[in-house]
Amino acid sequence: VQLAFCCRLSFVILQLFAIFAFATCGGYTGQLRVSVDCMEKASSNLSIGIDFGYPFRLHQVSFEAPACEATRRERVFLIGDYSSSAEFFVTIAVFAFLYSLVATVVYVFFLNKYREISRAPLIDFTVTVVFSFMWLVSSSAWAKALSDVKLATDPDEVQLLIPACKIQTNKCGSVHGARWSGVNTSVAFGFLNFVLWAGNIWFVFKETGWHKAVPFYPVNGTSASSTRAIRRR
C-alpha cells in the first residue's frame, strides 16, 4: 500500500513539473531594443523594438531600421533557427505529462488490474527509463540552444546586422536586452524532471517481477533441506 501511495504521489509531482517545464519554455516571449543615431538626426531611431519568442525561429524575426538616408528604412532579419531543440523539449514535457496523468489514473483506480497483468509493470518500468533518458537529452539540447539564442539576440550582436551601423559616422547602441529569468527556469525544470523520473525508476521497478522474484541461495554449501529447516525454526 505504501509503495502504491509513493507511486501515485510521484506521478502527481511529475505532472506538475512537466507543466512548469513546457509552460516556461513554450510561453516565452522576449524583446530587445537597439538605437540607431544617424548623422542626419531626422533619420535616427533611438528605440527599435525587436520581439521574438517560442519556437525561436529567429531567421523569421524581422524589424525595420533606418538606412540613415533621408527617411528610407531597411528590413533586417535576425539569424538562427533553434526551433528543433525548443520543440523537442516541449514535446517531451507534454508527453511526459500525459503519461504521468494516465499512470496516476491507473494507480488510483485500476491498481489491482495493473498488478494482475504481468507485463504492465514491465512496460511501466521501460517507459519510465525511456522518459528519464529523453529528459536528459532534451534538457541538454535545449540548454545549448538557449545559450545560442541569448547570443543571437544580444543587442551588441544585433547591431552588427544593421547596415547603417557599419558606417562610422552613425552611432548604434543598446537600449536594453531581453529578460531571461522565465525561460532560464525551463532548463532548470528540465533537469529536475530528469532527476525525478530517474528516481521514480526505483518505485516502478519494485512493482515488476524482476524485483519480486529474487531467489534464495544457500550459504556456505548448506543444503536446501537444511536451509528450509532453519527457516522453520
Side-chain angles (χ1 to χ4, degrees):
V1 177
Q2 291 181 347
L3 179 60
F5 174 77
C6 290
C7 288
R8 296 171 192 170
L9 180 61
S10 64
F11 277 116
V12 170
I13 295 174
L14 292 176
Q15 292 175 49
L16 293 176
F17 280 91
I19 292 174
F20 294 151
F22 70 70
T24 51
C25 177
Y28 177 79
T29 57
Q31 184 188 75
L32 64 110
R33 285 187 177 274
V34 295
S35 63
V36 179
D37 188 6
C38 303
M39 186 174 63
E40 297 180 5
K41 298 300 181 182
S43 302
S44 301
N45 188 339
L46 302 181
S47 184
I48 304 172
I50 307 169
D51 298 312
F52 65 96
Y54 178 85
F56 303 97
R57 294 188 178 95
L58 299 184
H59 66 291
Q60 296 179 355
V61 177
S62 64
F63 61 95
E64 287 190 349
C68 292
E69 297 176 2
T71 59
R72 190 168 70 87
R73 296 286 186 269
E74 294 179 315
R75 182 160 295 278
V76 181
F77 287 83
L78 299 182
I79 297 176
D81 182 4
Y82 307 97
S83 59
S84 59
S85 297
E87 291 175 340
F88 178 48
F89 179 81
V90 170
T91 300
I92 295 300
V94 170
F95 278 103
F97 166 76
L98 294 176
Y99 179 78
S100 57
L101 179 61
V102 172
T104 302
V105 172
V106 171
Y107 272 98
V108 172
F109 299 104
F110 306 101
L111 182 59
N112 292 332
K113 291 184 178 180
Y114 170 82
R115 287 175 171 170
E116 289 175 0
I117 304 174
S118 59
R119 291 185 178 181
L122 299 179
I123 295 173
D124 194 12
F125 174 76
T126 303
V127 173
T128 302
V129 171
V130 171
F131 267 116
S132 300
F133 176 73
M134 297 306 289
W135 269 118
L136 178 61
V137 173
S138 63
S139 299
S140 300
W142 171 229
K144 174 60 171 64
L146 180 57
S147 177
D148 294 338
V149 170
K150 290 179 180 180
L151 180 61
T153 57
D154 185 281
D156 293 333
E157 294 294 327
V158 174
Q159 293 173 38
L160 302 177
L161 304 176
I162 303 174
C165 294
K166 299 176 183 179
I167 302 174
Q168 294 182 349
T169 54
N170 303 323
K171 296 181 180 179
C172 297
S174 169
V175 179
H176 68 73
R179 295 182 179 180
W180 301 104
S181 57
V183 74
N184 283 339
T185 58
S186 67
V187 176
F189 280 126
F191 285 108
L192 185 57
N193 270 286
F194 160 68
V195 173
L196 291 173
W197 278 86
N200 201 45
I201 291 176
W202 169 246
F203 295 108
V204 179
F205 174 72
K206 294 184 74 173
E207 288 288 337
T208 65
W210 298 330
H211 177 265
K212 295 178 181 178
V214 178
F216 180 82
Y217 295 100
V219 182
N220 296 328
T222 306
S223 64
S225 58
S226 300
T227 303
R228 286 193 294 270
I230 293 173
R231 283 184 172 181
R232 286 195 294 269
R233 292 178 186 177

